[in-house]
Amino acid sequence: MADVAAPAYRIIPIIPALKPGAMEGKGPFVANEKINEAIGFPGKMAENWQETHDAVIAKMGELLSKYRSLKVYMDACVHCGACSDKCHYFIGTQDPKNMPVARQDLMRSVYRRYFTLPGKLFPKLVGARDLTREVLDEWYNYFNQCSECRRCSVFCPYGIDTAEVTMAAREILDSVGYGQKYSNEIIGKVHRIGNNLGLPGPALQDTLEGLEEDVKDATGIDIRFPMDVKGAEVLLITPSADFFAEPHIDSLIGYAKVFHATGTSWTLSSMASEAGNFGMFIGNYEQLRKIALRIREAALELGVKRIVVGECGHAWRVAYSFWNTLTGVGDGADANDRFAQMLQKQLDHRYKQPTHICEFTWDMIQDERLSFDKSKNDKHIITFHDSCNVARGSRMGDFAGGQFEIPRNIIKAVANNYVEMRDGTTREQTFCCGGGGGLLTDDLIDLRVKGALPRMEVLQETVDVHGVNFMATICAICKAQFTKVMPIYGFDRRMVGGVHQLVSNAIILGDK
Ligand code: SF4
Ligand code: SF4
């Protein structure tokens, strides 16, 4: 950590000068055989390059025929350059291969060589490249420097989604034993133990009991943090960081206070003690589904009526966009999947399934079932950081833009001082925190610090102009990333926290 320095702030807006090769060879650690094999991938690449070469091309062909969007993205780019300066990793590292269009071209050049006639006949003329070991290493390096945040796609006139290209590249790499250590190790932990942190059920139970005592000491009120309670109305699926990490745990306390104050019976599950789903980060449908199925199993076993998801950006995207077909939670459940249909019958369809905790709290505020002392947050001048997967990969509520308005509405209901960050850096144009998409690992700290630059610049501006001293967010990865990189930019790490941390500060307990 000591030799990691924050890049200098820029005069905004500015297109960075190019530093070719600046991030070459700076990808994350490669997963070892044990990690890969534990989740069903080949342990390592074949000794014989031709074997790997053929396997990569075959897998690419399979994905191109399975996902039509990928083929469209390979064909449609006109190299207009509209996306080139929109990626936080390009802005922070100045490496031209971190431009979204250049990142896509790493795959597009191989696609042209093996899957298009001009590329087969006149490779040089159409920018087609043979797949060599060096090209595959380049894929590994730069596709693991993309947080799959989708910001670039907002600016592309053709809607090309670099995140999907990255996911496809990572899936191909995993299929030949060239996976990334951090994500694959975490997926293994979820399969083995039930959460990203490898926290077993008894340890989790102890943690929750300790939390009950702490909250009782602080409030004088018995707030429960129940686990594995059959017949509870709500199953809360939340990121495992909420159970012990700072500031995440303060939001968990906030959820518990909301459930308490509204008289809602709820439970956590030791089997499904993780909202996060790194299957999405590595672009692998089977892993995505297997991880999500733990939640269905837990919901069926506990007999709950509602599933509520805690503050986690990519988890909400998976829940909102994919749980219906993966598990049977939500509309569109597979009619031939017996367990999906059982779950459909069990859940209470008067409510949105799944529900985000912000939707739950906002509904309760509108129904006047919660009351607040807003002055308890008066020490804070608050701004809100939209998290990529919520902003650009999901919705909330029953109106367009609900994912932007509902968290802001809650903050304004519980606090007096709220200001926005600069237009063009919030809502659908928000900048990634720099640690999403499976990059929240210390072996990528240099990339993470540089990738945080655009958000840090705008935050600094908001601090200078409005005196902001608290940045709220509803993503476990954003919270972990910001607490790590903000001190490097000279901010207090306690400046970042959850929306339900603010709810927790202001909620009036025991009057309903
Ligand atoms: S998806 Fe995000 S991280 Fe990836 S290239 Fe686009 S802007 Fe950069
Ligand atoms: S904005 Fe779209 S079409 Fe233009 S260079 Fe980027 S990906 Fe290609």
Side-chain angles (χ1 to χ4, degrees):
M1 279 295 290
D3 56 351
V4 176
Y9 289 153
R10 303 157 308 140
I11 299 164
I12 309 168
I14 185 175
I15 297 179
L18 301 186
K19 285 191 188 162
M23 296 303 283
E24 212 168 303
K26 297 204 174 161
F29 294 158
V30 178
N32 65 27
E33 278 180 73
K34 204 169 145 209
I35 291 171
N36 284 338
E37 284 168 359
I39 58 174
F41 294 143
K44 58 178 183 171
M45 282 207 289
E47 304 289 343
N48 174 350
W49 164 248
Q50 192 60 40
E51 213 178 293
T52 298
H53 170 281
D54 295 349
V56 167
I57 300 303
K59 186 72 183 177
M60 200 170 162
E62 181 196 317
L63 297 187
L64 286 163
S65 58
K66 198 155 79 176
Y67 304 124
R68 285 194 67 185
S69 53
L70 183 62
K71 187 163 180 337
V72 171
Y73 298 157
M74 290 294 102
D75 286 327
C77 175
V78 294
H79 291 83
C80 68
C83 63
S84 54
D85 61 341
K86 303 303 185 296
C87 175
H88 50 293
Y89 292 124
F90 168 60
I91 294 170
T93 68
Q94 296 167 253
D95 187 324
K97 287 190 182 147
N98 272 327
M99 288 180 180
V101 59
R103 202 185 307 285
Q104 295 163 25
D105 275 356
L106 296 175
M107 182 179 285
R108 188 172 287 118
S109 55
V110 175
Y111 162 77
R112 286 195 174 141
R113 178 71 184 89
Y114 296 87
F115 297 94
T116 70
L117 192 60
K120 284 177 187 166
L121 297 177
F122 316 107
K124 291 217 170 83
L125 277 182
V126 294
R129 290 194 300 177
D130 286 339
L131 177 70
T132 61
R133 175 63 208 250
E134 290 69 37
V135 169
L136 201 67
D137 288 344
E138 223 179 16
W139 279 27
Y140 182 83
N141 192 55
Y142 287 102
F143 285 118
N144 281 303
Q145 293 186 36
C146 165
S147 57
E148 302 172 353
C149 76
R150 308 180 90 206
R151 185 170 195 267
C152 49
S153 70
V154 171
F155 297 89
C156 174
Y158 296 92
I160 294 174
D161 184 355
T162 317
E164 256 193 61
V165 179
T166 293
M167 286 174 194
R170 291 189 190 171
E171 177 159 26
I172 294 168
L173 289 163
D174 263 323
S175 76
V176 297
Y178 200 0
Q180 185 229 50
K181 177 175 183 274
Y182 172 66
S183 292
N184 288 1
E185 197 168 33
I186 279 186
I187 290 171
K189 277 187 202 159
V190 178
H191 292 329
R192 263 195 342 273
I193 302 167
N195 54 59
N196 289 359
L197 301 167
L199 200 64
L204 183 53
Q205 184 73 60
D206 279 354
T207 305
L208 296 174
E209 283 167 11
L211 206 50
E212 285 179 357
E213 284 167 24
D214 291 347
V215 175
K216 172 91 189 229
D217 288 346
T219 64
I221 295 174
D222 286 310
I223 309 280
R224 301 287 323 282
F225 291 79
M227 192 166 83
D228 295 334
V229 177
K230 287 196 174 173
E233 184 193 349
V234 166
L235 170 61
L236 176 74
I237 302 290
T238 206
S240 53
D242 280 2
F243 299 127
F244 80 98
E246 287 285 351
H248 310 60
I249 201 164
D250 294 314
S251 281
L252 177 65
I253 294 169
Y255 319 150
K257 287 181 180 175
V258 168
F259 291 136
H260 175 92
T262 55
T264 306
S265 74
W266 69 291
T267 187
L268 293 155
S269 157
S270 55
M271 182 197 295
S273 50
E274 179 61 66
N277 190 329
F278 278 33
M280 190 177 77
F281 295 158
I282 64 165
N284 185 283
Y285 178 84
E286 284 72 32
Q287 296 293 340
L288 186 68
R289 182 158 200 265
K290 198 170 164 195
I291 293 168
L293 283 178
R294 297 184 76 95
I295 291 156
R296 171 163 95 187
E297 267 181 66
L300 286 170
E301 194 178 300
L302 297 171
V304 295
K305 298 289 178 201
R306 297 185 73 173
I307 303 183
V308 174
V309 180
E311 292 182 359
C312 180
H314 84 279
W316 178 240
R317 180 177 176 197
V318 173
Y320 178 88
S321 303
F322 307 126
W323 269 6
N324 57 350
T325 50
L326 291 174
T327 68
V329 181
D331 294 338
D334 184 349
N336 299 314
D337 181 335
R338 191 161 61 92
F339 294 104
Q341 291 308 316
M342 275 169 67
L343 190 57
Q344 282 291 309
K345 284 202 188 83
Q346 178 186 305
L347 296 175
D348 186 336
H349 294 285
R350 286 176 302 164
Y351 304 111
K352 249 179 101 236
Q353 303 284 1
T355 303
H356 194 280
I357 187 69
C358 284
E359 294 175 306
F360 184 92
T361 299
W362 179 237
D363 285 348
M364 293 296 171
I365 292 172
Q366 286 179 302
D367 287 352
E368 299 182 352
R369 291 178 63 187
L370 290 171
S371 30
F372 301 98
D373 176 357
K374 290 167 83 164
S375 70
K376 295 281 192 227
N377 278 315
D378 275 356
K379 62 183 177 198
H380 295 309
I381 301 173
I382 301 159
T383 193
F384 181 68
H385 164 76
D386 294 276
S387 301
C388 310
N389 277 301
V390 176
R392 293 186 283 262
S394 69
R395 287 264 295 263
M396 274 186 213
D398 52 9
F399 58 99
Q403 75 272 34
F404 309 128
E405 299 312 326
I406 289 174
R408 286 171 168 81
N409 289 346
I410 296 173
I411 296 172
K412 289 171 195 166
V414 305
N416 288 312
N417 310 313
Y418 178 76
V419 293
E420 284 289 347
M421 285 190 272
R422 184 157 46 83
D423 272 358
T425 72
T426 57
R427 301 171 188 259
E428 68 273 11
Q429 294 188 7
T430 186
F431 275 112
C432 173
C433 63
L439 308 185
L440 190 75
T441 168
D442 281 353
D443 38 299
L444 286 175
I445 191 67
D446 183 39
L447 177 79
R448 286 168 52 192
V449 170
K450 288 173 175 157
L453 176 69
R455 174 48 78 225
M456 293 296 99
E457 285 175 330
V458 178
L459 178 63
Q460 184 67 57
E461 183 185 80
T462 320
V463 169
D464 293 344
V465 175
H466 300 287
V468 158
N469 59 12
F470 192 91
M471 179 168 66
T473 185
I474 49 171
C475 175
I477 287 177
C478 294
K479 290 173 194 169
Q481 159 74 352
F482 284 136
T483 49
K484 186 98 177 184
V485 304
M486 281 172 67
I488 299 171
Y489 281 91
F491 295 107
D492 185 335
R493 67 197 295 277
R494 288 166 300 182
M495 254 185 89
V496 68
V499 167
H500 280 78
Q501 181 175 335
L502 299 170
V503 170
S504 175
N505 292 345
I507 196 167
I508 298 171
L509 296 166
D511 62 343
K512 293 269 169 75

